[in-house]
Amino acid sequence: MENPLLLFPQLNISASKDKSYYKVMKSTIKEEPPKSSKPGAKQKRNRLSLLLQKSEFHESDQLGKPGNLTKAASVSPEEAVKWGESFDKLLSEKAGLDAFTKFLKTEFSEENIEFWIACEDYKKSKTARELLPKAKTIYETFIQKDAPKEVNLDFHTKEVTSQNIEQPVITTFDAAQNTVYRLMEQDSYPRFLRSDPYVNLVKGRNPSRPTLRRRSRSFTVNDFQGVRPDFTVW
């Protein structure tokens, strides 16, 4: 009998065995993920950069806190002492007004000083044509019910101001402005004079610095050289 392999050359038994063996081996070998899925050096640098940005963001947030209210003003202790002579003296100087405004922001009551400033600007209007748009803006921003920066006015003062808003004159907001002025003078101003930033300024001390200090980007990167952080925890 002739060899069946000679009659049917397409039946290659050894080749079939090789294919079966290849399939078995392929199923037992764990495929490695593509190199692109591994966190490369570029991804690690991006993540490190993100961490540095977050640190700087938190630091900048600290810089805006009460400890540094007067840092940018560069006010001498002698000038700061004058702010304590009267509330009017404080508001009459730009540095004092800025410092007091920043203080009110820490108490979430900056709408009072903003309203007072708006009224001061309103009274500087040179023509009657300027009064109406300014008056409506002030009324809608600070006085009307549920205004975005509504100030605390008694019922009578608010009613009188509301009635005069249609035909405003230079004195339209005088009563409301005086009410807010007295409120700040009797309530916020004494607390400002007792606040740490003001006391430190009068004594010639530097405002307290935040605990988190800025490092130069180059120094921070060098500091991390040779360190292999575990990025899987992020």
Side-chain angles (χ1 to χ4, degrees), residues 59-73:
E59 180 183 356
S60 64
D61 181 61
Q62 292 285 340
L63 292 176
K65 291 192 174 182
N68 286 327
L69 288 178
T70 53
K71 183 177 180 180

Side-chain angles (χ1 to χ4, degrees), residues 51-138:
L51 284 181
L52 294 174
Q53 291 175 5
K54 287 182 178 180
S55 297
E56 291 175 358
F57 171 79
H58 290 302
E59 180 183 356
S60 64
D61 181 61
Q62 292 285 340
L63 292 176
K65 291 192 174 182
N68 286 327
L69 288 178
T70 53
K71 183 177 180 180
S74 300
V75 178
S76 67
E78 292 76 17
E79 291 176 296
V81 168
K82 295 180 180 179
W83 298 352
E85 295 176 0
S86 68
F87 187 48
D88 184 64
K89 182 67 175 178
L90 172 68
L91 299 187
S92 65
E93 298 185 9
K94 185 181 184 303
L97 178 61
D98 289 344
F100 184 65
T101 300
K102 292 178 181 179
F103 171 76
L104 291 184
K105 287 181 178 180
T106 68
E107 296 195 335
F108 305 99
S109 59
E110 66 269 21
E111 70 276 359
N112 292 324
I113 193 64
E114 290 177 3
F115 172 68
W116 183 86
I117 294 173
C119 291
E120 288 295 292
D121 177 73
Y122 173 81
K123 289 187 292 186
K124 295 177 182 178
S125 301
K126 297 180 179 179
T127 64
R129 182 176 297 180
E130 296 180 29
L131 294 180
L132 183 58
K134 286 186 176 182
K136 287 188 175 181
T137 299
I138 293 174

